[in-house]
Amino acid sequence: MNIKEKRGLSRRQLLSRSIAAGATFMVGSGFVAAQDATWATEVIALKPQTMATLVQMARDIYPHDHVPTEFYVIAVKGYDTEETAADIEAGVTALNTAAQGKGYVSYLDIGWERDRVDVLRGLEQSAFFQRIRGGLVTGLYNQKAVWPLFGYEGESFSQGGYLDRGFDDIAWL
């Protein structure tokens, strides 16, 4: 067999992909960015680690693989205020404590989604969890840029209603 005919990953490709998969966020002073450079945000009142935790928490509460992380960042960015910072920091501390109770360093260090969801289930009755979950409903799904990703065309009243605008063209029903 010719060397060029070999299939699979080279050692270099395997190492580079495993390193990239291992680090999701880069956290710096006042700055949070995705390792793959798909999004970045500056934080004002929250710690960068806290914002990265909120973004991961948002993805775990409402997981949509086809929705880019930048929309989750926008959804939780509203918690980065002086008024909410103390409560959010305390909530993330409780989240990290729950993760430590399961044997992890922090919530962000949990590699598998199912394990993170297990930690979230333990906090789901807390005021912090309910605040974040409730805020995500509007913070994530009220972004007009997200609507096409779900097949929603927006309100239809101003255009004559839904009956004459494809009411029955839903392919997934």
Side-chain angles (χ1 to χ4, degrees), residues 124-138:
E124 114 184 283
Q125 299 305 318
S126 70
F128 169 69
F129 180 88
Q130 293 299 323
R131 179 181 192 175
I132 301 300
R133 185 193 58 77
L136 284 171
V137 170
T138 54

